[in-house]
Structures are given as C-alpha cells and as structure tokens.
Amino acid sequence: MTTTREGTCCAEMAMVCLTDFEEYAKEHLSKATWDYYAAGADECCTRDDNLLAYKRIRLRPRILRDVSVCDTRTTVQGTEISFPVGIAPTAFHCLAWHEGEMATARATEAVNTCYITSTYSTCSVEEIAAAAPNGYRWFQLYVYRDRKLSESIIHRVEALGYKALVLTVDVPYTGKRRNDIRNQFKLPPHLKVKNFDGVFQEAAGPAGEEYGVPANTLDPSISWKDVYWLQSLTRLPIIIKGILTKEDAELAVEHGVQGIIVSNHGGRQLDGGPATIDALSEIVDTVQGRIEVYLDGGVRTGSDVLKAVALGAKCVFIGRPAVWGLAYKGEEGLKEVLHILNDEFRLSMALSGCRNVAEINRNLIQFSKL
C-alpha cells in the first residue's frame, strides 16, 4: 500500500498468485522482450500443454491428520532447501530488471533455495557469486563446438563454489520460435552474454548472431560420450536437463550422472513432445531412486508443486515466473513469487493431509483420471 499526503491509502496492485506477475510483466516489458520470454516453438502446443497437464491431474486428500505444523523443507543433492522449488536456468535477466541475475541470486539466497544459473546470463558467474556469497547455486552448461570455452567456464564455476553442473541436452539446434524471428530478436547494445565477454568479439560471421552469441556456436554432435568427457574435467555432480523418456533416463543412470531434470525447455525446442508432468512417472519408475529426478515446465501454483512431488520429483524448477517476479520488482519481486509459491505449497500439503515432504507420495494422485 502507498499512502498519499492526505493519509488515504491507494492500493498497489495486490499480487496474489503467479499469474498476477505474468500480467504485470506483459504490460510493462517491451513487446520483443515479452515475446522472447513467452515464446514456445512452432505452434506452442508443448508450451501450453505443460500448464494444461497439471489441470488434468486430481488429488486424493486425506483428512483428520493433525496438520497444525507443516514442514516444507527438503534436500537436493544432500543440501537442505526451504521448499522443493528452485530457479530454472533462463537467459538474459537484465532484460527484465537492471540488476539481472544478481537480483535473482540475492532473492534465492534469501529464500534459501537452489538457483541454476544460465550460461546465457547478462551478469557473469563471478558477479552472481559475489552478489550472493552464501547462495546455493548450480551452473547450466551448453557444449560448444570450441570445447575450450566449455572447459574454461567449468573451471570458473568450480572455483567460485557452484555445487553442480546442469548439462542441457535438448538444444543441438535452437527451436523455431516464430515471434523471435518476426521481431528479429537481438540483445540491446548495452547487454551481452557476460560469461563470454570478449570471447566472440565481433565474430558473428556470415551466419549472424543468435541469442547474443554467433550462430552455430553450439555443438550438434554432442552425444553420451560427452558425459564421460565432462566427468573427466570436474568433480562436480552432473545433472542432465532435457530428458523425456525412460530409455534416456536409463542411459543417464548408466553413464553415472547424479540427477535428471525432466524438461522440454519450456516448450521452446521440439513442439509436440509430452508435457513434463506427463513424462515424469515413467522416468521416476525407471530410475527407481538410483539418482534424483527433478522437473521444470508449467509450474504455476503450490498444488502443481504438490502434484509433481507426489509423482516422484525431488524438486521442481520455475523459469518464466522467476522472470515475471524480476520484471515486477527485481529481487523483492522474485522473493514475493517464491513466498507465494511456498505458502500455496504449504496450504496444499495441509489440505491434503501431508505434514512434511516425506509424506507426499503417489497415493495422493487419482490415477483413474490421468
């Protein structure tokens, strides 16, 4: 609330749920920036299905369970976080808020959860670490044609105390995002992909620039043997992001990775793949607890979080809602998004009869309706 000189209160827009932040961001960001964050591939079927799939899942609440105290804490890779929601790697936070990823890092440190920093950050890994020295962070990695680029950033994040590497595996090529093509999306001149500042100079070449780096920088030849290559470079746990099938989940376990993020890149890569919440069960059944399974895509409410955890996700990660929080009020806005989700999650737990995260299991899900 803001108070005028006369002492009467004029209400700021009350932020009640995550879609309030979405509406604010859509209104206040430039069209090209909004379109970039909102984009899905092709007809956006997978992007939209990520959300709709949650609405098809029904819960089986238990009653009279003494839910006077509900504990939302959990662990990821052995580290305790305040609730099973972290920040997924998304690019270019400075487009939403001038402090960009430094604000994201401070918000996640304050809330005590996990922040997966994107390779495509508009602040460097060093700036992010300095902004929130006690934050719990993983680093999202792409593999480049020039392997030395990938090697050097791995050594940088390891030295800075990032706790895991998240290898994105669903981008041998960038998906076709129609509005970005129509808008000829480019980073504004005052922003750059900070982690590679000076590396590419003006090396865009004949193929031009794609999302802040020269086109064709990513290596489409990446394969399972590159997991072994990464393991030879680092002692950090390796988590694979972008798995949607039981076959690839089994291969991930066989290759000795420490975690899987069930992800379709927010519906920005292959259009027509499954919603992540629909892909989760077969992956959890295949992995059988050998490694942790996480999920991103479509999480907008506390009951979405509850459904994902009930179906076997150790933690979920939010992408677009984090950017909406930044667009609203930077660090404070993102903290608000996380607090709302945590409050909703705690309420959904209580109304379902779960006193702690360990009590959330598949008995909560009505399978006949799936």
Side-chain angles (χ1 to χ4, degrees):
M1 299 284 259
T2 51
T3 307
T4 60
R5 266 176 306 191
E6 291 76 30
T8 54
C9 279
C10 54
E12 279 181 32
M13 189 164 131
M15 299 310 226
V16 176
C17 60
L18 268 55
T19 51
D20 290 342
F21 293 86
E22 179 178 19
E23 283 166 22
Y24 180 95
K26 185 168 189 178
E27 228 166 273
H28 289 79
L29 295 171
S30 74
K31 182 184 186 303
T33 296
W34 169 261
D35 284 350
Y36 167 72
Y37 289 135
D42 301 329
E43 296 174 298
C44 301
C45 299
T46 297
R47 179 197 69 182
D48 296 344
D49 201 35
N50 274 347
L51 282 83
L52 292 170
Y54 280 99
K55 302 184 197 312
R56 297 192 288 261
I57 296 171
R58 294 288 173 267
L59 295 164
R60 302 175 63 248
R62 301 295 306 276
I63 44 91
L64 296 175
R65 300 273 288 237
D66 182 5
V67 288
S68 51
V69 179
C70 279
D71 183 357
T72 62
R73 289 173 302 169
T74 190
T75 61
V76 285
Q77 299 296 320
T79 294
E80 186 178 286
I81 55 175
S82 60
F83 73 129
V85 177
I87 302 298
T90 53
F92 310 150
H93 290 188
C94 284
L95 285 176
W97 182 257
H98 61 100
E99 293 174 306
E101 291 82 6
M102 294 189 289
T104 311
R106 287 194 292 263
T108 43
E109 179 185 65
V111 173
N112 185 30
T113 192
C114 177
Y115 169 27
I116 309 178
T117 306
S118 169
T119 286
Y120 283 77
S121 293
T122 36
C123 303
S124 69
V125 288
E126 289 80 8
E127 289 169 329
I128 292 165
N134 301 310
Y136 180 56
R137 273 181 297 279
W138 298 349
F139 180 74
Q140 174 271 328
L141 180 78
Y142 285 111
V143 173
Y144 294 100
R145 289 175 193 263
D146 177 356
R147 295 302 169 100
K148 290 278 177 284
L149 275 183
S150 302
E151 282 181 42
S152 104
I153 194 125
I154 289 167
H155 296 317
R156 280 164 68 190
V157 300
E158 202 161 16
L160 287 163
Y162 288 69
K163 297 298 186 216
L165 284 181
V166 175
L167 175 65
T168 297
V169 293
D170 55 5
V171 191
Y173 302 97
T174 306
K176 183 176 178 180
R177 302 164 199 170
R178 295 175 183 177
N179 283 342
D180 287 348
I181 298 166
R182 291 188 183 112
N183 297 333
Q184 299 184 295
F185 175 82
K186 267 194 171 55
L187 274 182
H190 67 285
L191 295 181
K192 30 172 105 70
V193 178
K194 260 309 204 24
N195 289 321
F196 300 127
D197 200 4
V199 170
F200 297 117
Q201 275 92 20
E202 302 307 311
E209 183 195 285
E210 189 174 62
Y211 300 116
V213 299
N216 306 321
T217 308
L218 296 176
D219 189 348
S221 78
I222 183 173
S223 69
W224 284 105
K225 69 178 187 305
D226 293 303
V227 173
Y228 293 136
W229 167 72
L230 277 183
Q231 288 163 336
S232 77
L233 294 177
T234 181
R235 311 271 309 268
L236 291 176
I238 292 167
I239 291 152
I240 293 198
K241 173 178 179 287
I243 285 181
L244 291 166
T245 63
K246 60 186 181 199
E247 293 87 348
D248 283 335
E250 182 57 46
L251 282 165
V253 174
E254 286 171 12
H255 282 79
V257 305
Q258 279 71 34
I260 285 170
I261 304 180
V262 178
S263 175
N264 53 34
H265 217 99
R268 295 161 79 82
Q269 284 299 107
L270 177 67
D271 199 29
T276 50
I277 192 70
D278 289 340
L280 179 62
S281 291
E282 75 169 63
I283 289 167
V284 167
D285 290 344
T286 296
V287 167
Q288 294 198 312
R290 291 174 290 175
I291 59 177
E292 291 184 349
V293 177
Y294 317 109
L295 166 143
D296 67 21
V299 173
R300 299 292 180 267
T301 68
S303 88
D304 293 345
V305 180
L306 183 69
K307 289 169 182 177
V309 174
L311 288 169
K314 186 76 170 138
C315 176
V316 303
F317 292 91
I318 55 169
R320 293 182 183 95
V323 173
W324 304 335
L326 288 177
Y328 175 59
K329 233 184 253 184
E331 176 189 346
E332 292 307 313
L334 178 50
K335 279 200 290 208
E336 218 175 308
V337 163
L338 288 165
H339 285 313
I340 287 171
L341 257 188
N342 196 354
D343 290 345
E344 288 182 354
F345 175 58
R346 182 182 284 104
L347 182 58
S348 294
M349 278 176 67
L351 297 179
S352 303
C354 299
R355 289 159 291 204
N356 54 56
V357 171
E359 290 187 348
I360 303 170
N361 60 46
R362 279 198 192 180
N363 293 331
L364 212 54
I365 302 292
Q366 192 169 312
F367 278 99
S368 59
K369 287 282 187 288
L370 272 187

